[in-house]
Amino acid sequence: MCTEPAPPNLLIHPDEVERFDRGGGVATLPYVGKWNSATAVITTGQTVFQPGTGLPVHSHNVEESVLILEGEATAEIDGELFDLEPGQATWVPAGVPHRFFNRGEGVMRIYWVYGGRDVTRTITATGETFAHLSEHDKGGAPTA
């Protein structure tokens, strides 16, 4: 049995992925993107939210789908709130303001997929735009 697939295929080992600290109890594990694939046209990863934390309302230049893996999530999509449980998923077109936050008492984990390689995040409150997972892509904070 092989331990790794032949390139350009990837096998992601979460325990070997360098965590990206978003601040305020939110951390991201980047899985597939331009950092490890010259040909992938999607960007994927997992974000872990400690209880009572979330990211600010923002939008992206590409579409995004999020799958709730663990915990009690609330999604705010275009100003409306939706409580989500593990196994439920969302899809948000490019340019639509949204955010996810942990409303529960345990850890919340999401798996996200962006429909592109060069992903940006625009913070709705400030209009600031920056590259996804760049040094400016922080903003995790308690939601209370």
Side-chain angles (χ1 to χ4, degrees):
M1 179 178 289
C2 296
T3 59
E4 294 292 328
N9 304 296
L10 296 171
L11 177 58
I12 308 300
H13 302 276
D15 55 337
E16 296 173 4
V17 173
E18 184 177 345
R19 295 174 76 88
F20 180 77
D21 186 0
R22 311 296 290 273
V26 180
T28 291
L29 297 168
Y31 287 170
V32 176
K34 60 185 179 181
W35 56 84
N36 63 358
S37 173
T39 59
V41 295
I42 61 170
T43 303
T44 74
Q46 183 181 143
T47 299
V48 180
F49 298 80
Q50 295 304 312
T53 65
L55 293 172
V57 177
H58 61 276
S59 60
H60 301 287
N61 61 324
V62 297
E63 63 189 321
E64 177 184 26
S65 181
V66 168
L67 171 65
I68 307 305
L69 297 173
E70 177 182 1
E72 299 177 61
T74 297
E76 180 177 344
I77 303 171
D78 210 12
E80 296 185 71
L81 297 175
F82 304 91
D83 286 344
L84 303 170
E85 303 295 333
Q88 291 183 300
T90 62
W91 174 78
V92 177
V96 173
H98 64 280
R99 72 179 178 132
F100 292 85
F101 59 91
N102 183 349
R103 73 175 191 283
E105 295 182 17
V107 168
M108 179 187 92
R109 290 185 311 121
I110 64 172
Y111 177 76
W112 44 263
V113 178
Y114 294 116
R117 289 178 61 79
D118 296 307
V119 182
T120 64
R121 181 182 313 271
T122 300
I123 303 300
T124 303
T126 65
E128 180 186 13
T129 299
F130 38 79
H132 176 250
L133 300 181
S134 68
E135 65 275 6
H136 304 290
D137 193 10
K138 303 287 185 174
T143 57

